[in-house]
Amino acid sequence: MTSSALVPSAIAADPGAERTAEAARNTAETRIRVRVNLDGTGQSRLGTGIGFFDHMLEQIARHGLIDMDVDCDGDLHIDGHHTVEDVGITLGQAFARAMGDKKGIRRYGHAYVPLDEALSRVVVDFSGRPGLHLNIPFTAASIGGFDTQLTYEFFQGFVNHAQVTLHIDNLKGINAHHQCESVFKAFARALRAALERDPRMAGTIPSTKGAL
């Protein structure tokens, strides 16, 4: 039996208020609680039980200037699949709640990030329409116990529940650690750009439809 709950956001009527939210997911496979502050300073408290995955989540927080708490108790005795996918789902839910109606955000963000020989590009649109296009030709099947296939599962879970369009391309890379880390850093920088408040768009939803 699966249950998922969102804790009401702390967003106030003040357009300058911090955008914060919590989300929880409790299933037979994982028990997760996530808290985000989209207007933070990059602080994080992470506990997924997968060290390299925690390291990647830390990149999102630090380089996206997003305060993030992630606590996950997952069935790691099986493998990391449920943990990584469900954290993506729950993080996406928290983002969706924290964004509210999306008034005043820039909506689009992109970033190129190098890490030594690796180079990645990420483009995001807070469109209200989930879509993931990911191309990472990993040179190794695992990194520190993290199955590289699960990178896709994390981003798919996030995209579906944050309701974003996301394009991820690792353009160059030999070392799988560098490939993955450059992707997560580029994702963080793209998020930061897209979520930034645009003073020229204050109180306006960035869409001709009037809704996102």
Side-chain angles (χ1 to χ4, degrees):
M1 184 174 181
T2 301
S3 66
S4 183
L6 287 176
V7 177
S9 172
I11 297 173
D14 178 4
E18 288 185 342
R19 295 168 290 179
T20 65
E22 293 184 10
R25 181 176 175 84
N26 297 288
T27 74
E29 299 166 341
T30 58
R31 289 163 299 284
I32 302 170
R33 181 168 291 277
V34 169
R35 183 185 185 280
V36 297
N37 177 357
L38 304 184
D39 301 299
T41 59
Q43 303 300 307
S44 60
R45 292 190 304 165
L46 308 165
T48 67
I50 304 173
F52 183 77
F53 185 40
D54 285 348
H55 183 48
M56 294 301 97
L57 294 174
E58 184 181 15
Q59 305 312 312
I60 298 175
R62 182 66 58 85
H63 296 284
L65 291 181
I66 298 163
D67 292 344
M68 182 189 307
D69 294 347
V70 178
D71 182 35
C72 176
D73 179 15
D75 55 359
L76 295 179
H77 61 285
I78 296 175
D79 66 9
H81 190 288
H82 300 141
T83 291
V84 174
E85 180 181 26
D86 286 5
V87 166
I89 289 170
T90 314
L91 188 63
Q93 291 174 334
F95 265 68
R97 183 63 177 172
M99 283 185 294
D101 59 15
K102 305 177 189 175
K103 286 182 179 179
I105 67 168
R106 295 192 184 278
R107 175 178 168 177
Y108 301 99
H110 72 277
Y112 285 81
V113 171
L115 178 55
D116 296 344
E117 88 296 344
L119 175 65
S120 294
R121 176 185 63 213
V122 173
V123 184
V124 66
D125 174 12
F126 280 87
S127 60
R129 299 182 302 277
L132 174 63
H133 306 273
L134 181 147
N135 179 33
I136 309 174
F138 277 116
T139 59
S142 64
I143 310 167
F146 175 80
D147 182 350
T148 54
Q149 294 183 96
L150 298 184
T151 306
Y152 176 89
E153 303 303 331
F154 168 78
F155 284 114
Q156 186 67 77
F158 179 86
V159 159
N160 285 345
H161 292 269
Q163 298 282 296
V164 302
T165 302
L166 183 62
H167 289 254
I168 297 174
D169 292 281
N170 172 240
L171 304 174
K172 297 178 182 179
I174 298 172
N175 182 289
H177 185 133
H178 295 168
Q179 289 177 290
C180 197
E181 187 167 338
S182 64
V183 162
F184 274 82
K185 286 179 174 177
F187 176 60
R189 296 291 299 196
L191 287 178
R192 179 177 168 182
L195 291 169
E196 186 178 38
R197 290 186 172 103
D198 184 346
R200 297 176 65 192
M201 290 291 293
T204 304
I205 294 174
S207 171
T208 56
K209 296 189 295 292
L212 287 172

